[in-house]
Amino acid sequence: MMSQDTSLDPLELYAAAIDTSDYVARIAPLVQRLVPEVGALLDVGAGGGQLGSALRDPAEQWTAIEPSPTMQRRLRELPAGPRVVASGWKDADVAAARHDTVLAATMPAFFEQPEEFLARCRAWARRTVVWVVPAHAGPKGLCFAGCLPSEWHGEAETPGIDIVMRGLSSRSRPQEAGFVDWTFTGLVPDLDRLAGWMAGRLGWAATDERRPRLHAHLAAQARREERGFRLEISRRTAVLAWGSR
């Protein structure tokens, strides 16, 4: 019978999948092409720090703004990790123009307040602002929802990059942009537990007849490995840069 466990941490679930994905391997080279000299780095909404860690200059300061205690713990456990500012971007006590590059990846502010967020990023940056923005259509807010039929989580959404670009004025458009395809890959120790958690997040009752079908959908796509079940979802990401050249 499917587990009713709802205790999975969605941020940790996502961060663990980024650890096992080719996200950094695919995206970091594009960022480095657009920003050859990162210098002192401010990583806004740093998450688990995977991308920032790959991009940082070891000789320069790396600062991470991160509101989640779960992700703050991850950041502090990194070898040569960043200085952590435990705050959201609006309240972050970070001096203006003290960082060469300001990096922000998959931030809600891209979609909710793009102009205000861009202005804040520019105020923090001496040289360059880089945004890493989802460019695929699909559901938001539910890890591994891309493995499920769209009628269970809602219709496919407008690609994030389209929402961002609509929210920016013509004077705020990025000076450079590029796209990269990658694969969101999660190694799940307990597929039954994941299915139960996803059903709970979708608001399905314990007796909902779709629960066993959800488990079957995940099981059909998963590959059994020594460490668990591998689930893969194709993704496309845009990298936007301001002032990089």
Side-chain angles (χ1 to χ4, degrees):
M1 183 172 180
M2 184 188 297
S3 169
Q4 305 303 315
D5 190 344
T6 59
S7 64
L8 288 176
D9 183 331
L11 291 177
E12 180 56 40
L13 190 65
Y14 181 81
I18 293 298
D19 287 341
T20 51
S21 298
D22 61 354
Y23 173 83
V24 173
R26 300 286 293 170
I27 293 174
L30 175 55
V31 177
Q32 289 163 338
R33 181 172 65 80
L34 296 178
V35 189
E37 296 184 17
V38 171
L41 175 64
L42 177 62
D43 195 347
V44 187
Q50 295 96 330
L51 186 57
S53 184
L55 294 171
R56 65 161 305 195
D57 181 342
E60 299 282 358
Q61 175 71 48
W62 174 26
T63 301
I65 298 174
E66 177 52 55
S68 163
T70 300
M71 294 300 103
Q72 290 166 19
R73 286 193 296 273
R74 268 182 162 257
L75 290 167
R76 292 187 175 110
E77 290 171 357
L78 290 173
R83 179 175 74 90
V84 178
V85 178
S87 170
W89 67 273
K90 285 187 175 182
D91 302 318
D93 185 11
V94 177
R98 290 287 183 87
H99 304 85
D100 298 306
T101 301
V102 173
L103 169 71
T106 317
M107 290 280 290
F110 292 163
F111 315 114
E112 298 166 359
Q113 298 168 288
E115 284 282 353
E116 183 180 348
F117 184 54
L118 179 59
R120 193 72 185 276
C121 290
R122 282 175 155 168
W124 283 325
R126 277 195 290 251
R127 289 201 304 252
T128 309
V129 173
V130 179
W131 287 4
V132 180
V133 182
H136 51 266
K140 292 189 298 183
L142 180 59
C143 207
F144 296 108
C147 295
L148 305 180
S150 61
E151 62 265 22
W152 287 355
H153 52 66
E155 293 300 317
E157 298 177 4
T158 304
I161 185 61
D162 294 349
I163 299 172
V164 170
M165 296 302 286
R166 285 203 303 256
L168 293 173
S169 69
S170 58
R171 290 185 296 180
S172 297
R173 297 299 173 92
Q175 293 163 351
E176 296 192 72
F179 292 83
V180 63
D181 296 307
W182 58 284
T183 304
F184 182 83
T185 303
L187 288 175
V188 181
D190 188 336
L191 201 63
D192 186 63
R193 186 183 180 198
L194 175 66
W197 175 80
M198 291 180 71
R201 294 274 293 193
L202 289 166
W204 296 356
T207 56
D208 195 303
E209 64 179 12
R210 291 171 295 184
R211 280 179 172 259
R213 288 194 285 143
L214 186 155
H215 187 284
H217 270 279
L218 294 178
Q221 296 171 67
R223 294 207 312 268
R224 189 72 169 93
E225 298 186 358
E226 184 177 349
R227 291 187 293 161
F229 299 87
R230 178 181 290 268
L231 289 164
E232 297 184 341
I233 305 169
S234 296
R235 288 288 180 252
R236 186 169 174 80
T237 287
V239 176
L240 313 179
W242 291 260
S244 60
R245 295 196 179 170

